[in-house]
mmCIF file of all heavy atoms in Angstrom:
data_model
loop_
_atom_site.group_PDB
_atom_site.id
_atom_site.type_symbol
_atom_site.label_atom_id
_atom_site.label_comp_id
_atom_site.label_asym_id
_atom_site.label_seq_id
_atom_site.Cartn_x
_atom_site.Cartn_y
_atom_site.Cartn_z
ATOM 1 N N THR A 1 -53.458 33.189 15.960
ATOM 2 C CA THR A 1 -54.918 33.155 15.892
ATOM 3 C C THR A 1 -55.417 32.061 14.956
ATOM 4 O O THR A 1 -56.594 31.730 14.973
ATOM 5 C CB THR A 1 -55.473 34.505 15.418
ATOM 6 O OG1 THR A 1 -54.866 34.831 14.164
ATOM 7 C CG2 THR A 1 -55.179 35.587 16.436
ATOM 8 N N GLU A 2 -54.532 31.523 14.124
ATOM 9 C CA GLU A 2 -54.929 30.417 13.287
ATOM 10 C C GLU A 2 -53.704 29.568 12.987
ATOM 11 O O GLU A 2 -52.573 29.986 13.209
ATOM 12 C CB GLU A 2 -55.570 30.909 11.990
ATOM 13 C CG GLU A 2 -54.672 31.845 11.188
ATOM 14 C CD GLU A 2 -55.394 32.403 9.978
ATOM 15 O OE1 GLU A 2 -56.381 33.115 10.156
ATOM 16 O OE2 GLU A 2 -54.965 32.096 8.854
ATOM 17 N N LYS A 3 -53.923 28.361 12.468
ATOM 18 C CA LYS A 3 -52.812 27.442 12.221
ATOM 19 C C LYS A 3 -52.054 27.870 10.962
ATOM 20 O O LYS A 3 -52.498 27.624 9.838
ATOM 21 C CB LYS A 3 -53.318 26.011 12.067
ATOM 22 C CG LYS A 3 -53.753 25.388 13.374
ATOM 23 C CD LYS A 3 -52.560 25.075 14.259
ATOM 24 C CE LYS A 3 -52.992 24.392 15.544
ATOM 25 N NZ LYS A 3 -51.858 24.074 16.408
ATOM 26 N N THR A 4 -50.939 28.541 11.154
ATOM 27 C CA THR A 4 -50.064 28.949 10.066
ATOM 28 C C THR A 4 -48.672 28.432 10.389
ATOM 29 O O THR A 4 -48.416 27.969 11.509
ATOM 30 C CB THR A 4 -50.018 30.478 9.955
ATOM 31 O OG1 THR A 4 -49.418 30.989 11.152
ATOM 32 C CG2 THR A 4 -51.415 31.064 9.790
ATOM 33 N N PRO A 5 -47.732 28.518 9.450
ATOM 34 C CA PRO A 5 -46.353 28.136 9.794
ATOM 35 C C PRO A 5 -45.825 28.900 10.989
ATOM 36 O O PRO A 5 -45.073 28.373 11.798
ATOM 37 C CB PRO A 5 -45.582 28.476 8.511
ATOM 38 C CG PRO A 5 -46.590 28.341 7.412
ATOM 39 C CD PRO A 5 -47.878 28.823 8.021
ATOM 40 N N GLU A 6 -46.254 30.175 11.098
ATOM 41 C CA GLU A 6 -45.812 30.966 12.241
ATOM 42 C C GLU A 6 -46.360 30.412 13.542
ATOM 43 O O GLU A 6 -45.680 30.391 14.573
ATOM 44 C CB GLU A 6 -46.249 32.431 12.063
ATOM 45 C CG GLU A 6 -45.508 33.174 10.949
ATOM 46 C CD GLU A 6 -46.068 32.885 9.576
ATOM 47 O OE1 GLU A 6 -47.088 32.163 9.477
ATOM 48 O OE2 GLU A 6 -45.477 33.363 8.585
ATOM 49 N N THR A 7 -47.622 29.944 13.512
ATOM 50 C CA THR A 7 -48.218 29.377 14.705
ATOM 51 C C THR A 7 -47.502 28.101 15.119
ATOM 52 O O THR A 7 -47.232 27.874 16.297
ATOM 53 C CB THR A 7 -49.714 29.071 14.462
ATOM 54 O OG1 THR A 7 -50.353 30.272 14.052
ATOM 55 C CG2 THR A 7 -50.363 28.552 15.733
ATOM 56 N N VAL A 8 -47.180 27.277 14.125
ATOM 57 C CA VAL A 8 -46.443 26.052 14.418
ATOM 58 C C VAL A 8 -45.116 26.392 15.060
ATOM 59 O O VAL A 8 -44.671 25.763 16.018
ATOM 60 C CB VAL A 8 -46.235 25.239 13.124
ATOM 61 C CG1 VAL A 8 -45.332 24.047 13.399
ATOM 62 C CG2 VAL A 8 -47.575 24.760 12.579
ATOM 63 N N SER A 9 -44.468 27.465 14.530
ATOM 64 C CA SER A 9 -43.208 27.910 15.132
ATOM 65 C C SER A 9 -43.424 28.338 16.566
ATOM 66 O O SER A 9 -42.610 28.082 17.447
ATOM 67 C CB SER A 9 -42.620 29.075 14.319
ATOM 68 O OG SER A 9 -41.506 29.614 14.964
ATOM 69 N N GLY A 10 -44.569 29.012 16.815
ATOM 70 C CA GLY A 10 -44.867 29.441 18.172
ATOM 71 C C GLY A 10 -45.036 28.272 19.112
ATOM 72 O O GLY A 10 -44.614 28.319 20.266
ATOM 73 N N GLU A 11 -45.667 27.191 18.598
ATOM 74 C CA GLU A 11 -45.830 26.007 19.421
ATOM 75 C C GLU A 11 -44.478 25.381 19.733
ATOM 76 O O GLU A 11 -44.242 24.898 20.840
ATOM 77 C CB GLU A 11 -46.737 25.013 18.708
ATOM 78 C CG GLU A 11 -48.185 25.503 18.607
ATOM 79 C CD GLU A 11 -49.049 24.599 17.757
ATOM 80 O OE1 GLU A 11 -48.474 23.729 17.058
ATOM 81 O OE2 GLU A 11 -50.273 24.760 17.767
ATOM 82 N N ALA A 12 -43.571 25.436 18.722
ATOM 83 C CA ALA A 12 -42.222 24.936 18.965
ATOM 84 C C ALA A 12 -41.533 25.796 20.010
ATOM 85 O O ALA A 12 -40.790 25.306 20.854
ATOM 86 C CB ALA A 12 -41.421 24.946 17.655
ATOM 87 N N GLY A 13 -41.842 27.112 19.948
ATOM 88 C CA GLY A 13 -41.263 28.012 20.941
ATOM 89 C C GLY A 13 -41.752 27.695 22.333
ATOM 90 O O GLY A 13 -41.007 27.791 23.308
ATOM 91 N N SER A 14 -43.022 27.274 22.442
ATOM 92 C CA SER A 14 -43.565 26.903 23.743
ATOM 93 C C SER A 14 -42.851 25.672 24.283
ATOM 94 O O SER A 14 -42.575 25.568 25.478
ATOM 95 C CB SER A 14 -45.067 26.623 23.614
ATOM 96 O OG SER A 14 -45.752 27.797 23.223
ATOM 97 N N SER A 15 -42.544 24.735 23.380
ATOM 98 C CA SER A 15 -41.808 23.552 23.803
ATOM 99 C C SER A 15 -40.424 23.930 24.293
ATOM 100 O O SER A 15 -39.924 23.381 25.282
ATOM 101 C CB SER A 15 -41.695 22.560 22.633
ATOM 102 O OG SER A 15 -42.975 22.111 22.237
ATOM 103 N N MET A 16 -39.810 24.901 23.598
ATOM 104 C CA MET A 16 -38.490 25.346 24.019
ATOM 105 C C MET A 16 -38.570 26.015 25.381
ATOM 106 O O MET A 16 -37.682 25.859 26.221
ATOM 107 C CB MET A 16 -37.901 26.317 22.992
ATOM 108 C CG MET A 16 -36.478 26.738 23.306
ATOM 109 S SD MET A 16 -35.708 27.654 21.971
ATOM 110 C CE MET A 16 -34.045 27.841 22.644
ATOM 111 N N GLN A 17 -39.669 26.761 25.612
ATOM 112 C CA GLN A 17 -39.839 27.408 26.911
ATOM 113 C C GLN A 17 -39.952 26.358 28.010
ATOM 114 O O GLN A 17 -39.379 26.518 29.096
ATOM 115 C CB GLN A 17 -41.098 28.291 26.897
ATOM 116 C CG GLN A 17 -41.341 29.045 28.190
ATOM 117 C CD GLN A 17 -40.256 30.054 28.482
ATOM 118 O OE1 GLN A 17 -39.865 30.815 27.612
ATOM 119 N NE2 GLN A 17 -39.755 30.062 29.707
ATOM 120 N N GLU A 18 -40.685 25.280 27.734
ATOM 121 C CA GLU A 18 -40.803 24.212 28.717
ATOM 122 C C GLU A 18 -39.439 23.592 28.998
ATOM 123 O O GLU A 18 -39.114 23.256 30.144
ATOM 124 C CB GLU A 18 -41.780 23.154 28.206
ATOM 125 C CG GLU A 18 -43.230 23.650 28.129
ATOM 126 C CD GLU A 18 -44.144 22.644 27.474
ATOM 127 O OE1 GLU A 18 -43.640 21.552 27.088
ATOM 128 O OE2 GLU A 18 -45.346 22.924 27.328
ATOM 129 N N GLU A 19 -38.643 23.432 27.921
ATOM 130 C CA GLU A 19 -37.307 22.869 28.098
ATOM 131 C C GLU A 19 -36.447 23.825 28.917
ATOM 132 O O GLU A 19 -35.660 23.400 29.774
ATOM 133 C CB GLU A 19 -36.667 22.629 26.722
ATOM 134 C CG GLU A 19 -35.235 22.100 26.779
ATOM 135 C CD GLU A 19 -35.107 20.742 27.460
ATOM 136 O OE1 GLU A 19 -36.131 20.020 27.532
ATOM 137 O OE2 GLU A 19 -34.011 20.407 27.915
ATOM 138 N N GLU A 20 -36.595 25.143 28.662
ATOM 139 C CA GLU A 20 -35.840 26.128 29.431
ATOM 140 C C GLU A 20 -36.165 26.030 30.914
ATOM 141 O O GLU A 20 -35.285 26.154 31.767
ATOM 142 C CB GLU A 20 -36.151 27.541 28.935
ATOM 143 C CG GLU A 20 -35.496 27.885 27.617
ATOM 144 C CD GLU A 20 -35.800 29.309 27.202
ATOM 145 O OE1 GLU A 20 -36.315 30.066 28.053
ATOM 146 O OE2 GLU A 20 -35.533 29.664 26.056
ATOM 147 N N ASN A 21 -37.439 25.833 31.215
ATOM 148 C CA ASN A 21 -37.840 25.735 32.615
ATOM 149 C C ASN A 21 -37.170 24.564 33.323
ATOM 150 O O ASN A 21 -36.994 24.577 34.539
ATOM 151 C CB ASN A 21 -39.364 25.599 32.712
ATOM 152 C CG ASN A 21 -40.073 26.878 32.287
ATOM 153 O OD1 ASN A 21 -39.489 27.955 32.304
ATOM 154 N ND2 ASN A 21 -41.331 26.746 31.890
ATOM 155 N N ARG A 22 -36.802 23.550 32.527
ATOM 156 C CA ARG A 22 -36.119 22.397 33.120
ATOM 157 C C ARG A 22 -34.619 22.630 33.234
ATOM 158 O O ARG A 22 -33.921 21.920 33.948
ATOM 159 C CB ARG A 22 -36.400 21.150 32.277
ATOM 160 C CG ARG A 22 -37.840 20.644 32.376
ATOM 161 C CD ARG A 22 -37.963 19.266 31.751
ATOM 162 N NE ARG A 22 -37.828 19.311 30.298
ATOM 163 C CZ ARG A 22 -38.850 19.474 29.470
ATOM 164 N NH1 ARG A 22 -40.081 19.609 29.951
ATOM 165 N NH2 ARG A 22 -38.662 19.492 28.166
ATOM 166 N N ARG A 23 -34.116 23.618 32.470
ATOM 167 C CA ARG A 23 -32.685 23.891 32.463
ATOM 168 C C ARG A 23 -32.433 25.231 33.149
ATOM 169 O O ARG A 23 -32.344 26.260 32.516
ATOM 170 C CB ARG A 23 -32.144 23.916 31.032
ATOM 171 C CG ARG A 23 -32.157 22.554 30.356
ATOM 172 C CD ARG A 23 -31.512 22.612 28.989
ATOM 173 N NE ARG A 23 -32.330 23.339 28.036
ATOM 174 C CZ ARG A 23 -31.861 24.284 27.225
ATOM 175 N NH1 ARG A 23 -30.607 24.635 27.268
ATOM 176 N NH2 ARG A 23 -32.666 24.885 26.372
ATOM 177 N N GLN A 24 -32.343 25.213 34.442
ATOM 178 C CA GLN A 24 -32.160 26.423 35.224
ATOM 179 C C GLN A 24 -30.715 26.515 35.691
ATOM 180 O O GLN A 24 -30.362 26.021 36.767
ATOM 181 C CB GLN A 24 -33.121 26.438 36.413
ATOM 182 C CG GLN A 24 -34.587 26.436 36.025
ATOM 183 C CD GLN A 24 -35.029 27.769 35.431
ATOM 184 O OE1 GLN A 24 -34.911 28.811 36.066
ATOM 185 N NE2 GLN A 24 -35.525 27.747 34.215
ATOM 186 N N ALA A 25 -29.882 27.128 34.865
ATOM 187 C CA ALA A 25 -28.467 27.269 35.237
ATOM 188 C C ALA A 25 -28.299 28.242 36.391
ATOM 189 O O ALA A 25 -27.407 28.093 37.224
ATOM 190 C CB ALA A 25 -27.655 27.739 34.034
ATOM 191 N N TYR A 26 -29.169 29.243 36.432
ATOM 192 C CA TYR A 26 -29.102 30.260 37.472
ATOM 193 C C TYR A 26 -30.244 30.080 38.469
ATOM 194 O O TYR A 26 -31.337 29.624 38.106
ATOM 195 C CB TYR A 26 -29.216 31.662 36.882
ATOM 196 C CG TYR A 26 -28.207 32.006 35.825
ATOM 197 C CD1 TYR A 26 -28.621 32.565 34.610
ATOM 198 C CD2 TYR A 26 -26.839 31.818 36.019
ATOM 199 C CE1 TYR A 26 -27.704 32.909 33.631
ATOM 200 C CE2 TYR A 26 -25.917 32.166 35.046
ATOM 201 C CZ TYR A 26 -26.353 32.707 33.852
ATOM 202 O OH TYR A 26 -25.447 33.051 32.879
ATOM 203 N N THR A 27 -30.007 30.469 39.694
ATOM 204 C CA THR A 27 -31.039 30.467 40.733
ATOM 205 C C THR A 27 -30.995 31.827 41.440
ATOM 206 O O THR A 27 -30.164 32.682 41.118
ATOM 207 C CB THR A 27 -30.792 29.363 41.773
ATOM 208 O OG1 THR A 27 -29.622 29.702 42.547
ATOM 209 C CG2 THR A 27 -30.579 28.011 41.092
ATOM 210 N N GLU A 28 -31.870 32.002 42.392
ATOM 211 C CA GLU A 28 -31.870 33.257 43.132
ATOM 212 C C GLU A 28 -30.584 33.443 43.925
ATOM 213 O O GLU A 28 -30.244 34.565 44.318
ATOM 214 C CB GLU A 28 -33.084 33.322 44.070
ATOM 215 C CG GLU A 28 -34.416 33.445 43.336
ATOM 216 C CD GLU A 28 -35.590 33.686 44.266
ATOM 217 O OE1 GLU A 28 -35.349 34.051 45.447
ATOM 218 O OE2 GLU A 28 -36.745 33.491 43.832
ATOM 219 N N ASN A 29 -29.855 32.370 44.141
ATOM 220 C CA ASN A 29 -28.588 32.455 44.888
ATOM 221 C C ASN A 29 -27.386 32.725 43.992
ATOM 222 O O ASN A 29 -26.266 32.906 44.490
ATOM 223 C CB ASN A 29 -28.359 31.168 45.676
ATOM 224 C CG ASN A 29 -29.385 30.974 46.770
ATOM 225 O OD1 ASN A 29 -29.794 31.937 47.428
ATOM 226 N ND2 ASN A 29 -29.829 29.741 46.960
ATOM 227 N N THR A 30 -27.606 32.755 42.682
ATOM 228 C CA THR A 30 -26.507 33.028 41.753
ATOM 229 C C THR A 30 -26.048 34.475 41.900
ATOM 230 O O THR A 30 -26.872 35.392 41.955
ATOM 231 C CB THR A 30 -26.945 32.783 40.300
ATOM 232 O OG1 THR A 30 -27.381 31.433 40.154
ATOM 233 C CG2 THR A 30 -25.798 33.059 39.332
ATOM 234 N N ARG A 31 -24.748 34.675 41.921
ATOM 235 C CA ARG A 31 -24.206 36.024 42.046
ATOM 236 C C ARG A 31 -24.387 36.784 40.737
ATOM 237 O O ARG A 31 -24.223 36.234 39.643
ATOM 238 C CB ARG A 31 -22.728 35.988 42.431
ATOM 239 C CG ARG A 31 -22.475 35.363 43.804
ATOM 240 C CD ARG A 31 -21.009 35.423 44.193
ATOM 241 N NE ARG A 31 -20.595 36.807 44.442
ATOM 242 C CZ ARG A 31 -20.765 37.436 45.604
ATOM 243 N NH1 ARG A 31 -21.363 36.825 46.625
ATOM 244 N NH2 ARG A 31 -20.360 38.677 45.755
ATOM 245 N N ILE A 32 -24.732 38.053 40.847
ATOM 246 C CA ILE A 32 -24.921 38.901 39.673
ATOM 247 C C ILE A 32 -23.640 38.950 38.841
ATOM 248 O O ILE A 32 -23.678 38.911 37.606
ATOM 249 C CB ILE A 32 -25.353 40.309 40.114
ATOM 250 C CG1 ILE A 32 -26.760 40.259 40.736
ATOM 251 C CG2 ILE A 32 -25.325 41.288 38.940
ATOM 252 C CD1 ILE A 32 -27.197 41.545 41.409
ATOM 253 N N SER A 33 -22.510 39.008 39.520
ATOM 254 C CA SER A 33 -21.225 39.054 38.814
ATOM 255 C C SER A 33 -21.009 37.817 37.958
ATOM 256 O O SER A 33 -20.355 37.864 36.906
ATOM 257 C CB SER A 33 -20.079 39.213 39.814
ATOM 258 O OG SER A 33 -20.062 38.140 40.750
ATOM 259 N N GLU A 34 -21.554 36.673 38.393
ATOM 260 C CA GLU A 34 -21.423 35.428 37.633
ATOM 261 C C GLU A 34 -22.176 35.507 36.317
ATOM 262 O O GLU A 34 -21.720 35.006 35.279
ATOM 263 C CB GLU A 34 -21.933 34.259 38.475
ATOM 264 C CG GLU A 34 -21.836 32.903 37.799
ATOM 265 C CD GLU A 34 -22.381 31.779 38.660
ATOM 266 O OE1 GLU A 34 -22.394 31.929 39.899
ATOM 267 O OE2 GLU A 34 -22.806 30.748 38.082
ATOM 268 N N VAL A 35 -23.345 36.142 36.354
ATOM 269 C CA VAL A 35 -24.134 36.309 35.131
ATOM 270 C C VAL A 35 -23.413 37.261 34.173
ATOM 271 O O VAL A 35 -23.282 36.980 32.972
ATOM 272 C CB VAL A 35 -25.542 36.851 35.454
ATOM 273 C CG1 VAL A 35 -26.334 37.084 34.170
ATOM 274 C CG2 VAL A 35 -26.283 35.888 36.373
ATOM 275 N N ILE A 36 -22.941 38.372 34.694
ATOM 276 C CA ILE A 36 -22.280 39.371 33.859
ATOM 277 C C ILE A 36 -21.076 38.789 33.130
ATOM 278 O O ILE A 36 -20.835 39.086 31.955
ATOM 279 C CB ILE A 36 -21.849 40.583 34.717
ATOM 280 C CG1 ILE A 36 -23.097 41.334 35.224
ATOM 281 C CG2 ILE A 36 -20.939 41.526 33.935
ATOM 282 C CD1 ILE A 36 -22.782 42.443 36.209
ATOM 283 N N SER A 37 -20.325 37.924 33.811
ATOM 284 C CA SER A 37 -19.096 37.365 33.238
ATOM 285 C C SER A 37 -19.290 36.036 32.530
ATOM 286 O O SER A 37 -18.316 35.443 32.056
ATOM 287 C CB SER A 37 -18.045 37.209 34.340
ATOM 288 O OG SER A 37 -18.492 36.304 35.343
ATOM 289 N N ASP A 38 -20.536 35.565 32.427
ATOM 290 C CA ASP A 38 -20.793 34.282 31.790
ATOM 291 C C ASP A 38 -20.328 34.329 30.331
ATOM 292 O O ASP A 38 -20.742 35.206 29.564
ATOM 293 C CB ASP A 38 -22.288 33.966 31.852
ATOM 294 C CG ASP A 38 -22.592 32.519 31.493
ATOM 295 O OD1 ASP A 38 -21.991 31.986 30.543
ATOM 296 O OD2 ASP A 38 -23.450 31.918 32.170
ATOM 297 N N PRO A 39 -19.490 33.385 29.893
ATOM 298 C CA PRO A 39 -19.009 33.365 28.509
ATOM 299 C C PRO A 39 -20.129 33.294 27.479
ATOM 300 O O PRO A 39 -19.938 33.705 26.322
ATOM 301 C CB PRO A 39 -18.144 32.098 28.460
ATOM 302 C CG PRO A 39 -17.720 31.866 29.874
ATOM 303 C CD PRO A 39 -18.880 32.311 30.713
ATOM 304 N N ALA A 40 -21.292 32.808 27.863
ATOM 305 C CA ALA A 40 -22.414 32.717 26.917
ATOM 306 C C ALA A 40 -22.806 34.080 26.384
ATOM 307 O O ALA A 40 -23.311 34.208 25.260
ATOM 308 C CB ALA A 40 -23.617 32.060 27.596
ATOM 309 N N PHE A 41 -22.564 35.132 27.184
ATOM 310 C CA PHE A 41 -22.990 36.471 26.802
ATOM 311 C C PHE A 41 -21.894 37.312 26.157
ATOM 312 O O PHE A 41 -22.177 38.382 25.613
ATOM 313 C CB PHE A 41 -23.541 37.209 28.027
ATOM 314 C CG PHE A 41 -24.705 36.513 28.679
ATOM 315 C CD1 PHE A 41 -24.724 36.295 30.046
ATOM 316 C CD2 PHE A 41 -25.763 36.054 27.920
ATOM 317 C CE1 PHE A 41 -25.787 35.650 30.654
ATOM 318 C CE2 PHE A 41 -26.840 35.398 28.519
ATOM 319 C CZ PHE A 41 -26.845 35.201 29.890
ATOM 320 N N GLY A 42 -20.666 36.852 26.243
ATOM 321 C CA GLY A 42 -19.592 37.625 25.634
ATOM 322 C C GLY A 42 -19.489 39.012 26.242
ATOM 323 O O GLY A 42 -19.710 39.213 27.437
ATOM 324 N N GLU A 43 -19.184 39.997 25.391
ATOM 325 C CA GLU A 43 -18.940 41.353 25.870
ATOM 326 C C GLU A 43 -20.205 42.072 26.328
ATOM 327 O O GLU A 43 -20.127 43.060 27.054
ATOM 328 C CB GLU A 43 -18.254 42.176 24.786
ATOM 329 C CG GLU A 43 -16.849 41.690 24.433
ATOM 330 C CD GLU A 43 -16.170 42.574 23.424
ATOM 331 O OE1 GLU A 43 -16.829 43.545 22.960
ATOM 332 O OE2 GLU A 43 -15.002 42.317 23.081
ATOM 333 N N TYR A 44 -21.382 41.590 25.910
ATOM 334 C CA TYR A 44 -22.604 42.321 26.254
ATOM 335 C C TYR A 44 -23.201 41.894 27.595
ATOM 336 O O TYR A 44 -24.217 42.445 28.032
ATOM 337 C CB TYR A 44 -23.654 42.198 25.147
ATOM 338 C CG TYR A 44 -24.113 40.794 24.835
ATOM 339 C CD1 TYR A 44 -25.103 40.177 25.599
ATOM 340 C CD2 TYR A 44 -23.584 40.091 23.768
ATOM 341 C CE1 TYR A 44 -25.541 38.899 25.312
ATOM 342 C CE2 TYR A 44 -24.013 38.799 23.464
ATOM 343 C CZ TYR A 44 -24.997 38.209 24.239
ATOM 344 O OH TYR A 44 -25.429 36.943 23.963
ATOM 345 N N GLY A 45 -22.574 40.939 28.273
ATOM 346 C CA GLY A 45 -23.076 40.537 29.586
ATOM 347 C C GLY A 45 -23.139 41.696 30.557
ATOM 348 O O GLY A 45 -24.018 41.755 31.424
#
């Protein structure tokens, strides 16, 4: 609601979201099993 360090962080988060939108490792055709076993998630996938 106002310009604070937290707000600046939020703006950085928005930039990260835009970057995420450009980095789409998964698509609707990705197999569910591939997501579950992705090493990025470790045991909690």
Side-chain angles (χ1 to χ4, degrees):
T1 56
E2 57 185 63
K3 287 288 183 180
T4 65
E6 290 81 4
T7 303
V8 174
S9 173
E11 292 173 348
S14 296
S15 297
M16 185 171 185
Q17 182 65 47
E18 292 173 0
E19 177 62 21
E20 285 182 12
N21 292 338
R22 289 192 290 270
R23 292 185 289 132
Q24 298 288 302
Y26 304 131
T27 69
E28 291 187 15
N29 294 322
T30 302
R31 296 184 68 84
I32 293 171
S33 59
E34 181 181 335
V35 177
I36 292 173
S37 62
D38 193 318
F41 301 131
E43 295 184 357
Y44 60 83

